[in-house]
Amino acid sequence: MREGWVVGVDIGGTNLVVGAVPVVGGPPAAIRTDTTRSQRGADAAVDDVVRMANEVIEETLELHGGGRESFLGVGIGSPGPLDLEKGLLIETPNLGWKNYPIRDRISDLLGLPATLDNDANCATYGEWWLGAGKGTRCMAGVTLGTGIGGGLILDGKLVHGASGCAGELGHTTIDFTGRRCACGNYGCLEAYASGPNIAARAREGIEAGDHSILADLVDGDLSRITAQTVYDALLQGDEHAQAVMLETAKILGAGIANVVNLFNPEVVVVVGGVTRAGDHLFTPLRSEVRRRAFDVAVRACRIVPGELGDAAGVIGAAGVFVADTGLTP
Ligand SMILES: [Zn+2]
């Protein structure tokens, strides 16, 4: 296997993360995080990515020596839907960008070859390569954040499907007459259990008369409630926040039970900020999966939090570059 580095880029609805990942696998030698500010447009976000990548490259070379030629390429993870062949971002409900040639823009500006894959696929691949799914043959990843993403790995390869959309767990229907989703459908998993929708459900409960210290935590401005404040209230023993988190766990459990029955994975790795809720999330989530999915599938499947934290997307994006360009032995 070749020595050297790959720049991993994780474009999220909230944050941009850029890191330098060793080709052989390992934690990033240098990493930068910045807010996405998606409303300024895709060009401005790409400029930020390129600036952060140049900083990361410089810092890595200062720490480890060598020249710029030890950087072999860039792996990019972006929200989709994407045209993987052309390297295009087709449409992003959570960013508002359309028909944008993100792979070639970043590749040209950095002067490095680049690969593109879906952000959730990259986080899934990172956890499979170096994290909680290491050594498994059949893995599903679930990313909880501004949106909900998913990824499927079979025999060490990401499953892309006929047009690159495989694994879009967040936009599977769990209630066919349910809440409107950013994608236009009704009753998607994401419309209930993404960070902003956890906050929205907590707010709606208070507006309907549930008593909660959440109102005090945001000084009465309910629009300031986030998934994080719901978690803070839960830790302080707030019953409304506990009920919202329990319902979130059951909703995610229903969504993951569908994945378990459809794909029969050895492990489901759940990543993202909401996993900080720990057992408050995972204990009821696992029992909901047990209640719904086939026993023989449930017994073969671990449901665990990711091990790579916020770096999963960056590590996985770099890992996809390593795999796609044949740098692996
Ligand atoms: Zn949807």
Side-chain angles (χ1 to χ4, degrees):
M1 187 183 287
R2 283 192 62 181
E3 280 189 24
W5 305 91
V6 174
V7 177
V9 175
D10 180 12
I11 297 169
T14 309
N15 286 323
L16 301 172
V17 192
V18 178
V21 179
V23 170
V24 293
I31 196 159
R32 293 283 187 286
T33 302
D34 202 349
T35 50
T36 306
R37 298 187 289 268
S38 57
Q39 71 287 352
R40 292 179 316 152
D43 276 336
V46 162
D47 287 344
D48 285 344
V49 164
V50 168
R51 173 182 47 79
M52 291 159 77
N54 281 322
E55 286 172 16
V56 154
I57 290 171
E58 234 169 76
E59 188 181 328
T60 304
L61 297 179
E62 269 169 31
L63 282 168
H64 295 271
R68 205 172 158 104
E69 69 284 354
S70 52
F71 274 83
L72 306 182
V74 193
I76 304 158
S78 164
L82 307 170
D83 183 328
L84 297 179
E85 232 162 82
K86 295 185 181 145
L88 290 180
L89 202 151
I90 299 169
E91 194 172 4
T92 50
N94 292 324
L95 293 174
W97 306 338
K98 261 188 175 177
N99 295 318
Y100 187 79
I102 193 155
R103 182 192 64 200
D104 293 349
R105 286 284 299 170
I106 292 176
S107 171
D108 290 348
L109 289 169
L110 282 174
L112 290 169
T115 58
L116 174 68
D117 210 322
N118 173 282
D119 54 350
N121 281 354
C122 289
T124 300
Y125 193 81
E127 289 290 345
W128 175 82
W129 190 27
L130 299 172
K134 206 173 167 177
T136 61
R137 202 176 69 76
C138 187
M139 164 183 159
V142 183
T143 61
L144 306 176
T146 318
I148 294 185
L152 303 172
I153 288 181
L154 191 57
D155 293 327
K157 288 199 167 63
L158 280 165
V159 176
H160 286 108
S163 55
C165 284
E168 285 287 1
L169 173 68
H171 302 285
T172 55
T173 303
I174 58 160
D175 180 353
F176 80 108
T177 56
R179 298 169 73 88
R180 184 79 192 258
C181 181
C183 75
N185 186 27
Y186 290 87
C188 290
L189 178 62
E190 176 173 307
Y192 295 83
S194 69
N197 282 309
I198 292 171
R201 285 171 30 244
R203 191 181 63 236
E204 287 159 11
I206 296 170
E207 283 165 354
D210 282 350
H211 181 73
S212 170
I213 61 163
L214 264 172
D216 302 329
L217 291 181
V218 294
D219 298 323
D221 179 1
L222 299 185
S223 70
R224 282 174 44 210
I225 293 174
T226 63
Q228 180 65 45
T229 48
V230 175
Y231 178 54
D232 293 342
L234 177 152
L235 289 184
Q236 293 176 42
D238 184 65
E239 283 181 18
H240 175 63
Q242 283 170 353
V244 169
M245 191 54 79
L246 179 62
E247 192 183 48
T248 303
K250 288 183 167 184
I251 290 165
L252 286 169
I256 289 174
N258 292 340
V259 176
V260 167
N261 273 356
L262 192 65
F263 193 58
N264 194 191
E266 286 168 73
V267 61
V268 177
V269 180
V270 186
V271 305
V274 183
T275 59
R276 278 195 292 268
D279 288 345
H280 293 290
L281 180 73
F282 280 92
T283 303
L285 189 162
R286 289 186 187 111
S287 49
E288 192 68 19
V289 174
R290 265 197 306 277
R291 215 163 66 79
R292 288 178 182 271
F294 280 122
D295 192 42
V296 65
V298 172
R299 274 189 279 122
C301 183
R302 293 179 291 128
I303 300 170
V304 296
E307 292 175 358
L308 304 179
D310 294 341
V314 157
I315 291 172
V320 166
F321 179 91
V322 170
D324 280 4
T325 52
L327 292 169
T328 40

